[in-house]
Amino acid sequence: MPTIGVLALQGSVREHVRMLQEAGAAAIAVRRPAELDAVDGLVIPGGESTTMWKLADTFDLLDPLRMRIKEGMPAYGSCAGMIMLADRIEDGIDGQQTIGGIDMVVRRNAFGRQVDSFEADLDFAGEPVHAIFIRAPWVESVGADVEVLGIAEPGDRIVAVRQGPLLATSFHPELTGDTRVHRYFVDMLREL
């Protein structure tokens, strides 16, 4: 059984822990480098990407996160977590940094403000899922090694991608009760 950490700086940590457990993994909250060292994979939840970056830096997690990702640790980022896993971002604040790892350009808050949040049914890696978008990003472009796993309207926007051991969605599957995205990630860990 893989042990998957949930970056517990902000966001829906408990919900991700519950979904990972239902998907067949042991799950723990990660707030410190020693906790990061103890996990086989990591979920980076939604929240506010600039706050998450600053908190990761404050808690001395930014460089350890980058190192583990570079070494091949599987990671899944939802919403702000997608932004954190992007190599490049659009509409970030001055100096905003990411962990990186996925060769993509992500646009922050691309679908609009909080009042523009919405739900939609879409195909995720061949499975129908109900997706909740809250101040969600979308993927502007991807590199040749990035697999597109999900597209959403309006505008056929890329909302789910995978590159090797890294997975990202612009929506929040932890809020739906549907474990398909988390099971996909747990299965990824088992295959690697």
Side-chain angles (χ1 to χ4, degrees), residues 54-186:
K54 290 175 183 177
L55 287 171
D57 192 43
T58 298
F59 285 95
D60 295 322
L61 274 168
L62 199 54
D63 287 334
L65 284 165
R66 287 177 177 149
M67 184 58 66
R68 287 291 312 270
I69 297 293
K70 189 174 182 178
E71 292 171 347
M73 177 185 69
Y76 163 50
S78 67
C79 199
M82 172 185 259
I83 296 167
M84 293 298 288
L85 288 175
D87 283 347
R88 295 167 304 284
I89 56 174
E90 294 287 333
D91 294 334
I93 66 166
D94 246 3
Q96 183 172 353
Q97 297 179 34
T98 67
I99 298 164
I102 299 179
D103 182 12
M104 64 179 171
V105 177
V106 171
R107 182 170 300 279
R108 285 179 70 240
N109 302 328
F111 284 107
R113 300 167 53 89
Q114 190 82 17
V115 297
D116 300 311
S117 299
F118 67 100
E119 299 181 27
D121 294 320
L122 57 92
D123 177 85
F124 169 80
E127 294 281 334
V129 296
H130 186 73
I132 298 174
F133 295 86
I134 304 170
R135 288 178 48 214
W138 67 45
V139 179
E140 292 274 323
S141 63
V142 297
D145 294 331
V146 178
E147 180 183 3
V148 174
L149 299 177
I151 303 279
E153 296 293 337
D156 291 331
R157 299 298 183 175
I158 300 170
V159 295
V161 296
R162 177 179 178 182
Q163 183 175 358
L166 304 177
L167 174 69
T169 63
S170 62
F171 53 91
H172 291 267
E174 76 280 6
L175 300 178
T176 66
D178 182 345
T179 60
R180 278 181 268 204
V181 174
H182 290 81
R183 284 190 182 159
Y184 182 93
F185 182 57
V186 171

Side-chain angles (χ1 to χ4, degrees), residues 16-52:
H16 277 293
V17 166
R18 180 176 39 79
M19 296 294 271
L20 288 166
Q21 290 169 339
E22 289 179 20
I28 64 168
V30 170
R31 292 181 189 88
R32 294 173 183 82
E35 294 163 340
L36 179 63
D37 290 341
V39 300
D40 302 309
L42 184 72
V43 170
I44 305 168
E48 212 293 313
S49 62
T50 57
T51 301
M52 197 174 292

